[in-house]
């Protein structure tokens, strides 16, 4: 008996069956790949943290961003990151999984009135300590995030930024080396105040020779993304200020 494919009931049944089949396939793939996805996210975070403290495979050229390879990053992370801390109000505890804390979820908890957990990483390289703080903010279109490493004088030793959906060739360039390298050597303090670092349009220092102005040159055509980076840094420093004051070298 031939099936009447012209009937509305056939179309509905066919569509329903296809939705069930495709949904089942997607659910299976998501379940089977979840472990691999989690592992990739874990390694990526380790790469980003290490990059911010200057542990990477960058050459002398200024054009490329080269992370420690995924095959080596776990060992390098254990080598250079000496402590992982979780700051929650007045409590500071050690946790070797602190780098897996979801900043977006913690921000939501804080908005609901709970005390958020703030991860912080203490690294050591060539006998020098680095204090790496993660951050999350809002760009033009979506979330932006990153890591910033400071020394005890509150001078930036390195940063890493990334984004979810900024404009290609414009705001998306916050993850380019020429932009991130400008932050190295800048102080986040201004006369003892945690001023952060402004991504400044027309700051008259395009080559970033001045390191005492709390500013780096903005990305052309990316004012809102740059403002988002500025706000992200300031808001993060405000959250971490109580801890940073305990390790800061007073002058």
């Amino acid at each position: 008996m031939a099936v009447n494919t012209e009937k509305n009931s056939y179309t509905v049944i066919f569509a329903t069956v296809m939705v069930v089949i495709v949904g089942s396939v997607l659910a299976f793939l998501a379940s089977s790949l979840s472990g691999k996805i989690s592992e990739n996210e874990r390694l990526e975070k380790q790469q980003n943290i290490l990059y911010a403290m200057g542990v990477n495979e960058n050459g002398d050229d200024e054009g490329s961003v080269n992370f420690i390879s995924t095959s080596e990053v776990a060992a390098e992370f254990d080598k250079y990151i000496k402590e992982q801390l979780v700051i929650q109000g007045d409590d500071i505890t050690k946790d070797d999984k602190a780098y897996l804390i979801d900043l977006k979820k913690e921000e939501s908890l804080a908005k609901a009135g709970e005390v958020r957990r703030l991860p912080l990483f203490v690294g050591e390289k060539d006998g020098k300590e680095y204090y790496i703080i993660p951050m999350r903010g809002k760009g033009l279109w979506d979330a932006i995030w990153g890591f910033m490493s400071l020394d005890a004088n509150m001078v930036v030793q390195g940063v890493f930024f990334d984004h979810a959906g900024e404009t290609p060739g414009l705001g998306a360039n916050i993850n380019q080396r020429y932009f991130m390298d400008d932050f190295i050597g800048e102080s986040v303090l201004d006369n003892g105040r945690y001023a952060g670092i402004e991504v400044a349009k027309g700051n008259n220092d395009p080559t970033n020779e001045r390191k005492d102005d709390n500013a780096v040159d903005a990305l052309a055509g990316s004012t809102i993304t740059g403002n988002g980076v500025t706000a992200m840094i300031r808001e993060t420093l405000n959250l971490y200020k109580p801890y940073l004051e305990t390790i800061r070298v007073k002058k």
Side-chain angles (χ1 to χ4, degrees):
M1 179 178 177
V3 176
N4 185 356
T5 59
E6 301 298 326
K7 295 176 64 176
N8 290 337
S9 59
Y10 173 85
T11 302
V12 172
I13 293 171
F14 179 82
T16 302
V17 170
M18 289 304 298
V19 167
V20 171
I21 292 174
V22 173
S24 299
V25 171
L26 291 176
F28 172 77
L29 290 175
S31 176
S32 61
L33 294 176
S34 61
K36 185 64 175 178
I37 292 172
S38 297
E39 175 69 1
N40 289 339
E41 291 175 347
R42 181 180 71 82
L43 295 176
E44 182 180 15
K45 282 190 175 182
Q46 291 182 343
Q47 287 175 319
N48 295 347
I49 292 168
L50 290 177
Y51 189 94
M53 66 173 288
V55 180
N56 51 57
E57 296 181 357
N58 284 349
D60 294 332
D61 67 285
E62 298 181 357
S64 58
V65 173
N66 299 297
F67 302 102
I68 297 295
S69 67
T70 54
S71 62
E72 299 177 355
V73 68
E76 294 294 277
F77 192 78
D78 289 341
K79 175 182 176 181
Y80 287 102
I81 301 301
K82 302 303 181 182
E83 284 187 329
Q84 296 188 57
L85 305 177
V86 177
I87 304 166
Q88 191 168 22
D90 295 329
D91 296 328
I92 300 176
T93 57
K94 295 182 180 181
D95 184 345
D96 61 4
K97 300 298 183 184
Y99 72 100
L100 296 176
I101 289 176
D102 188 324
L103 299 185
K104 182 179 180 180
K105 289 183 179 179
E106 294 301 319
E107 183 179 354
S108 297
L109 290 173
K111 290 179 179 179
E114 299 186 34
V115 180
R116 76 173 79 188
R117 296 179 299 161
L118 302 172
L120 183 141
F121 316 101
V122 182
E124 184 178 330
K125 184 179 70 168
D126 300 329
K128 182 176 181 177
E129 283 195 334
Y130 295 73
Y131 302 90
I132 305 107
I133 54 179
M135 56 190 74
R136 182 180 173 86
K138 180 71 170 65
L140 172 60
W141 302 112
D142 209 326
I144 57 176
W145 60 86
F147 296 89
M148 173 179 287
S149 67
L150 301 168
D151 66 10
N153 292 307
M154 300 296 106
V155 174
V156 177
Q157 304 302 298
V159 300
F160 176 77
F161 299 126
D162 212 342
H163 64 95
E166 297 307 283
T167 306
L170 298 174
N173 287 347
I174 62 172
N175 63 9
Q176 296 301 300
R177 185 173 169 184
Y178 73 88
F179 177 70
M180 296 189 290
D181 281 357
D182 275 358
F183 288 80
I184 299 173
E186 292 281 350
S187 174
V188 299
L189 297 175
D190 182 16
N191 293 320
R193 178 179 63 90
Y194 286 85
I197 299 172
E198 181 181 6
V199 179
K201 183 177 180 180
N203 72 339
N204 298 317
D205 183 26
T207 58
N208 199 43
E209 295 179 359
R210 291 183 58 190
K211 295 296 183 180
D212 59 355
D213 59 355
N214 300 100
V216 300
D217 204 45
L219 294 165
S222 307
T223 300
I224 296 178
T225 303
N227 290 344
V229 173
T230 299
M232 177 175 68
I233 293 173
R234 287 178 178 167
E235 290 167 5
T236 300
L237 288 172
N238 185 56
L239 292 173
Y240 283 86
K241 178 181 176 181
Y243 176 82
L244 294 177
E245 281 293 285
T246 67
I247 53 101
R248 175 185 156 200
V249 175
K250 303 296 197 329
K251 297 182 178 180

